[in-house]
């Protein structure tokens, strides 16, 4: 696209200027093109493009014939530089990073198929048949299954850069909001789980049973960083293997694998104003259960 814009500006400039010569001059069209090319010549300094050619023109060039026309040609070249090196990349980047809305109404956390939800988003983002990693999945919900917050991130490696898709469900407007950005590095990328595999495992959990086992609390949370970790804590943990869950003893720790944490949010305090309205509430996690998967217990 940039080359097309540059060519169009060059052709239009030459057609416009070639007829404006005030003094007879040999090879005038070629000289005009030279001034245009000089005005558009760039210098790349650590990925910052500078108008070196136009600066050289301003300092060293003092034409004696067709002064105004040659100056306009150099200026048109400089404008081409601005369009190609600054404006077009900015517009393309803004277009790629524009928020994307996916209209969709979700149901109860107890009946939701998270794997299908992720597939829906990936299809809208044209990420199907691509290797996509997951990071920072989180869903908050109440005891009756009503979701109050749902978000996760998808990462795709593309050549030497990474596309990050930050997905947040807008409860009020019943739609997914996706923010897209391009990054040069992502250090923990190789430690992250494949997104489709994560949601396949998440669907194994019986969220209703897990929630009711924790008791009556304000809200409940299911989350995962998506990273493979080494766990050597003192609490017994659940292992998900072949679609089944089992509780392992402390003697089998430490283990390495991916994990999903589930816990309740216990209210620990609140503040009220003079009218008796609550202005601040404090919570802490309680009744935590961790579920590990892709764990090798053969040597335990």
């Amino acid at each position: 696209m940039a080359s097309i814009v540059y060519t169009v500006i060059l052709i239009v400039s030459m057609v416009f200027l070639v007829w404006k010569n005030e003094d007879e001059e040999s090879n005038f069209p070629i000289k005009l093109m030279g001034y245009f090319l000089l005005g558009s010549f760039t210098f790349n300094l650590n990925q910052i493009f500078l108008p070196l050619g136009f600066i050289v023109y301003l300092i060293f060039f003092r034409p004696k014939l067709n002064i105004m026309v040659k100056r306009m040609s150099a200026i048109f070249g400089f404008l081409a530089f601005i369009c190609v090196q600054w404006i077009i990349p900015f517009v393309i980047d803004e277009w790629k990073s524009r928020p994307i809305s996916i209209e969709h109404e979700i149901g109860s956390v107890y009946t939701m198929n998270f794997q299908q939800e992720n597939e829906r988003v990936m299809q809208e983002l044209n990420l199907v048949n691509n290797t996509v990693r997951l990071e920072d999945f989180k869903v908050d919900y109440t005891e009756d299954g009503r979701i109050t917050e749902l978000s996760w991130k998808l990462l795709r490696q593309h050549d030497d850069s990474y596309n990050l898709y930050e997905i947040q469900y807008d409860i009020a407007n019943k739609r997914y909001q996706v923010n897209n950005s391009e990054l040069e590095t992502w250090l923990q990328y190789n430690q992250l789980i494949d997104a489709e595999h994560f949601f396949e495992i998440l669907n194994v959990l019986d969220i209703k049973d897990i929630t009711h086992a924790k008791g009556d609390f304000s809200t409940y949370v299911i989350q995962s960083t998506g990273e493979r970790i080494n766990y050597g804590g003192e609490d017994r943990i659940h292992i998900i293997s072949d679609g089944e869950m089992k509780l392992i003893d402390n003697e089998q720790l430490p283990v390495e694998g991916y994990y999903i944490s589930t816990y309740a949010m216990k209210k620990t305090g609140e503040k009220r104003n003079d009218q008796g309205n609550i202005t601040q509430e404090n919570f802490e996690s309680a009744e935590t259960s961790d579920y590990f998967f892709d764990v090798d217990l053969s040597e335990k």
Side-chain angles (χ1 to χ4, degrees):
M1 180 179 179
S3 61
I4 295 175
V5 172
Y6 182 88
T7 302
V8 169
I9 296 176
L10 173 61
I11 294 174
V12 172
S13 300
M14 292 302 101
V15 171
F16 175 72
L17 294 174
V18 76
W19 306 107
K20 290 186 173 294
N21 58 321
E22 300 170 349
D23 305 304
E24 289 295 330
E25 186 174 358
S26 62
N27 299 319
F28 178 64
I30 297 177
K31 292 178 181 178
L32 274 185
M33 185 175 295
Y35 276 94
F36 181 94
L37 295 176
L38 178 64
S40 64
F41 182 77
T42 65
F43 177 72
N44 186 346
L45 179 63
N46 296 325
Q47 300 302 315
I48 299 176
F49 292 93
L50 302 175
L52 179 62
F54 191 68
I55 295 173
V56 170
Y57 163 77
L58 292 176
I59 296 175
F60 298 105
F61 281 74
R62 297 291 184 272
K64 296 181 179 179
L65 298 175
N66 295 302
I67 299 173
M68 184 62 65
V69 181
K70 291 176 181 177
R71 181 180 302 165
M72 290 177 65
S73 184
I75 291 173
F76 283 149
F78 176 63
L79 294 177
F81 158 80
I82 293 176
C83 287
V84 171
Q85 301 297 344
W86 292 347
I87 296 178
I88 291 178
F90 175 78
V91 171
I92 291 176
D93 184 65
E94 287 295 306
W95 172 256
K96 287 182 177 180
S97 61
R98 74 193 188 284
I100 300 171
S101 294
I102 305 173
E103 303 291 337
H104 176 60
E105 185 174 358
I106 60 176
S108 168
V109 72
Y110 300 138
T111 58
M112 178 181 292
N113 187 315
F114 286 98
Q115 193 171 2
Q116 291 180 357
E117 293 298 311
N118 181 64
E119 290 174 356
R120 182 191 309 277
V121 172
M122 288 182 60
Q123 287 177 356
E124 291 288 341
L125 299 175
N126 295 319
L127 296 177
V128 180
N129 300 324
N130 284 277
T131 300
V132 181
R133 305 292 178 95
L134 175 137
E135 184 176 70
D136 293 340
F137 171 86
K138 184 180 181 183
V139 56
D140 292 26
Y141 60 98
T142 59
E143 189 172 7
D144 61 3
R146 180 175 57 87
I147 294 176
T148 57
E149 181 181 344
L150 173 61
S151 63
W152 70 94
K153 298 176 184 176
L154 296 176
L155 273 158
R156 178 176 73 100
Q157 187 173 12
H158 180 66
D159 296 331
D160 295 328
S161 62
Y162 299 86
N163 291 112
L164 171 64
Y165 302 90
E166 298 177 274
I167 302 154
Q168 180 86 37
Y169 189 76
D170 185 344
I171 302 293
N173 295 303
K174 300 178 182 179
R175 64 188 180 188
Y176 286 106
Q177 288 287 103
V178 184
N179 290 316
N180 174 26
S181 57
E182 187 171 333
L183 308 166
E184 293 184 1
T185 60
W186 198 270
L187 298 179
Q188 71 272 31
Y189 179 81
N190 291 328
Q191 290 293 317
L192 296 177
I193 188 171
D194 178 81
E196 292 181 273
H197 181 50
F198 172 83
F199 286 105
E200 178 185 358
I201 297 297
L202 182 59
N203 272 351
V204 174
L205 296 181
D206 190 327
I207 298 177
K208 180 176 285 189
D209 285 351
I210 292 172
T211 303
H212 290 170
K214 297 184 185 304
D216 185 16
F217 290 92
S218 300
T219 57
Y220 303 82
V221 179
I222 301 173
Q223 72 173 22
S224 175
T225 63
E227 293 185 63
R228 190 171 182 84
I229 67 168
N230 188 290
Y231 179 81
E234 299 179 354
D235 297 330
R236 301 172 70 194
I237 61 174
H238 297 82
I239 298 294
I240 304 175
S241 179
D242 297 326
E244 298 181 353
M245 286 184 292
K246 63 179 180 179
L247 195 62
I248 66 171
D249 297 324
N250 293 344
E251 290 76 15
Q252 295 178 278
L253 299 176
V255 297
E256 181 182 302
Y258 301 105
Y259 74 98
I260 299 172
S261 286
T262 69
Y263 54 90
M265 296 300 294
K266 178 181 178 182
K267 187 173 181 178
T268 59
E270 64 182 29
K271 291 183 179 179
R272 296 178 179 268
N273 56 22
D274 296 338
Q275 290 73 37
N277 298 319
I278 297 176
T279 58
Q280 180 180 329
E281 293 180 295
N282 299 320
F283 295 88
E284 65 178 18
S285 61
E287 300 295 330
T288 301
S289 301
D290 293 323
Y291 299 84
F292 277 72
F293 54 98
D294 292 359
V295 174
D296 185 6
L297 295 175
S298 59
E299 299 181 1
K300 298 296 179 181

